[in-house]
Amino acid sequence: MKNLKIKEIISEKKIQNRVKELGEELAKKFKSKDVIAVSVLKGSFIFFSDLTRSLDFDLKYDFIELSSYLDSESSKNVKIIKDLSLAITKKHVIIVEDIVENGYTLNLLQKLLQLRNPASITTVSLLHKPKSKKVDYNLDYIGFDISDNGFVLGYGLDYNNQYRNLPYIAEIQNLN
Ligand code: IMP
Ligand code: MG
């Protein structure tokens, strides 16, 4: 694999501060409710573990794995690799995503979970590329809006399944 040139765009400290703020906002809304926090694998697992540890109320954990690939018309196809193991009917679901780009992943996930009649669905994403939106989705809490041009990695996000362990978010400088 070629050596990537990467540049830090969001520091570890900034991430930790924002995660704490998001945790406080979620705690206000969900304290004493029946909550299931859902990590969308694999990219959100680090954000998910920091965010949920900042929540000072009881909640259950679950995981779903989705993959998306470009189809021939250059729209994305999203597939379930691993489904939830808990029933979410009448529960308050908090979906935790790493990044929302075109919105195909979140659009499908929200439709799919809605069919199971949860009490509510709230979505949190660490990162958001607002100008890349191609389909509708609801995004209730955003860690950081970022530029739509670059490919980012670190803090759970990968390039070719690497770089997830960086404690900060970086942008690739020499992808093409
Ligand atoms: P969407 O369906 O276009 O919103 O894409 C969302 C998924 O694509 C994310 O959950 C990530 O897994 C992946 N993705 C999109 N942009 C990036 C990026 O800049 N870095 C790493 N993964 C990305
Ligand atoms: Mg994701």
Side-chain angles (χ1 to χ4, degrees):
M1 197 178 126
K2 70 174 175 181
N3 257 343
L4 286 184
K5 234 165 107 189
I6 61 169
K7 182 178 146 225
E8 179 179 307
I9 58 164
I10 308 173
S11 70
E12 183 174 5
K13 184 89 197 128
K14 265 196 177 155
I15 296 171
Q16 297 308 336
N17 288 342
R18 186 73 187 119
V19 167
K20 227 179 116 216
E21 285 173 3
L22 289 170
E24 283 163 10
E25 289 184 47
L26 289 170
K28 271 189 235 152
K29 189 166 166 191
F30 289 105
K31 221 166 197 160
S32 73
K33 293 208 169 119
D34 228 346
V35 169
I36 300 181
V38 171
S39 169
V40 185
L41 297 172
K42 298 174 186 162
S44 83
F45 80 106
I46 291 180
F47 175 46
F48 182 75
S49 60
D50 282 346
L51 182 68
T52 55
R53 282 181 301 166
S54 79
L55 300 176
D56 59 346
F57 59 87
D58 286 334
L59 75 166
K60 290 183 177 159
Y61 280 53
D62 209 348
F63 302 86
I64 192 164
E65 184 168 2
L66 303 170
S67 81
S68 63
Y69 55 93
L70 285 177
D71 70 15
S72 51
E73 283 128 32
S74 83
S75 73
K76 277 184 194 161
N77 256 305
V78 184
K79 202 167 77 177
I80 301 182
I81 309 284
K82 181 215 167 292
D83 202 348
L84 298 176
S85 58
L86 299 176
I88 59 167
T89 307
K90 295 187 181 158
K91 310 284 187 206
H92 294 275
V93 174
I94 304 176
I95 298 175
V96 182
E97 258 289 21
D98 54 353
I99 182 165
V100 178
E101 189 180 32
N102 304 144
Y104 291 108
T105 309
L106 194 51
N107 172 287
L108 176 107
L109 185 58
Q110 288 176 334
K111 279 189 197 150
L112 181 83
L113 299 191
Q114 201 59 61
L115 292 173
R116 301 177 190 183
N117 298 315
S120 68
I121 298 179
T122 297
T123 304
V124 188
S125 183
L126 175 69
L127 303 173
H128 181 221
K129 292 179 173 174
K131 294 195 195 105
S132 297
K133 182 169 182 169
K134 295 241 172 86
V135 290
D136 267 345
Y137 52 79
N138 296 320
L139 191 46
D140 304 285
Y141 298 92
I142 295 166
F144 303 92
D145 276 327
I146 57 169
S147 123
D148 295 66
N149 313 322
F151 193 88
V152 293
L153 44 77
Y155 196 65
L157 287 93
D158 74 308
Y159 175 72
N160 277 347
N161 260 307
Q162 290 184 292
Y163 297 92
R164 295 191 196 275
N165 55 327
L166 290 179
Y168 52 85
I169 301 288
E171 192 174 73
I172 301 181
Q173 303 290 286
N174 60 337
L175 198 52
N176 300 306

